Amino acid sequence: MLIEMKDVNLVYDVGHDEETYALKNINLNIKENRFYGILGPSGSGKSSLLYLLSGLRKPSSGEVIYKGKAYKDIRGKEMAQIRNKQFGFIFQRHFLMNYLTALENVLVPLNSNKKEDIDKAKELLIKLGLEREINKRPAKMSGGQRQRVAIARALINDPEIIFADEITASLDHKNAFEVMKVLEGFKGKAAILVVTHDESILSGAEEIIRVWDGSIKSVEESRVNAL
């Protein structure tokens, strides 16, 4: 098992008269090389679930276990290396550096100017349909193009897990489906977790995790893969 969640709770305002459960009694297993959709309405706790799975947030109780080791037992430097080497992150906001070109943004996680790394970054951008944007800065690109640069940046280290949080929320349908098609191209090569409120973009997902009011309502094989 790649990631396990055991009796996980995430509580805000701990110790106050009114504690708020963002997530409650979560038990979940994430397997290698599977494409998961995390689906739920706004405020349901789906993004909080992703942040706990990735170690960006700590649970109030329970354990999140990565490859047999609880996040709480992984020290800061080791966790930083895991996030840089094993995890790829894509957020609703692309968080590109405006003063860098598309190519330079993709190379940021590597902190390298080696020819082989530059060539790899270029290959990723070309694969994502961004051959003409390689030397452009974010301000000269469309929203869909910027999001694809962010995807290339997330993939540059060949991560074993890709965490994607509402990455199509600010895109029109055409760009949203283009971005999802890119991610689907990595099925079988990494575990992919996509948080969204829009089920229509999850046609390529193999499992759907439905989140409602801080709880997992169901984990089901997607309709497409069940056929």
Side-chain angles (χ1 to χ4, degrees):
M1 202 63 60
L2 195 56
I3 303 180
E4 300 172 77
M5 303 186 85
K6 295 183 176 180
D7 300 319
V8 167
N9 293 280
L10 180 62
V11 186
Y12 297 124
D13 299 324
V14 176
H16 290 67
D17 292 337
E18 292 186 15
E19 295 182 340
T20 302
Y21 277 76
L23 293 168
K24 49 193 172 186
N25 302 323
I26 301 294
N27 290 279
L28 183 65
N29 293 325
I30 300 297
K31 301 172 186 174
E32 295 179 351
N33 301 331
R34 295 279 286 175
F35 189 161
Y36 295 88
I38 302 176
L39 186 66
S42 178
S44 60
K46 57 188 185 298
S47 291
S48 294
L49 179 62
L50 192 79
Y51 297 155
L52 288 175
L53 285 166
S54 63
L56 290 175
R57 186 167 289 171
K58 296 179 180 179
S60 303
S61 61
E63 286 192 329
V64 184
I65 301 165
Y66 170 65
K67 287 187 169 181
K69 189 173 183 179
Y71 280 145
K72 65 181 177 62
D73 296 326
I74 301 177
R75 296 188 181 277
K77 187 175 180 180
E78 182 184 357
M79 192 70 231
Q81 290 177 336
I82 289 171
R83 289 198 190 104
N84 189 49
K85 301 294 184 183
Q86 275 79 51
F87 295 174
F89 294 94
I90 316 166
F91 299 100
Q92 179 178 348
R93 291 187 60 193
H94 48 76
F95 294 113
L96 299 180
M97 296 183 184
N98 291 325
Y99 58 89
L100 298 180
T101 65
L103 178 62
E104 291 166 340
N105 267 288
V106 174
L107 287 167
V108 165
L110 296 179
N111 191 26
S112 168
N113 59 2
K114 294 180 181 177
K115 183 180 184 303
E116 58 265 33
D117 292 330
I118 292 171
D119 289 344
K120 182 179 180 180
K122 285 181 178 178
E123 286 175 13
L124 268 174
L125 288 167
I126 291 168
K127 186 174 183 178
L128 291 167
L130 295 169
E131 185 172 5
R132 295 181 179 180
E133 283 69 41
I134 286 175
N135 294 311
K136 288 184 181 179
R137 290 182 170 80
K140 298 295 184 180
M141 291 183 276
S142 69
Q145 290 168 339
R146 289 193 292 267
Q147 194 61 287
R148 278 180 277 166
V149 174
I151 290 174
R153 182 183 58 192
L155 298 175
I156 191 67
N157 274 326
D158 299 314
E160 60 184 1
I161 313 175
I162 300 168
F163 297 99
D165 186 20
E166 294 281 13
I167 61 172
T168 64
S170 60
L171 303 178
D172 59 34
H173 280 291
K174 181 177 181 293
N175 278 309
F177 283 105
E178 284 182 3
V179 164
M180 290 306 298
K181 188 178 291 186
V182 168
L183 277 187
E184 288 172 29
F186 288 85
K187 284 171 65 172
K189 301 174 186 176
I192 303 169
L193 291 88
V194 177
V195 163
T196 184
H197 60 273
D198 182 2
E199 190 167 1
S200 70
I201 69 164
L202 294 176
S203 60
E206 295 163 298
E207 292 187 44
I208 304 292
I209 302 166
R210 297 184 184 274
V211 183
W212 188 269
D213 286 343
S215 298
I216 292 179
K217 188 177 180 181
S218 66
V219 180
E220 59 200 49
E221 192 172 0
S222 72
R223 293 174 188 169
V224 172
N225 289 281
L227 295 177

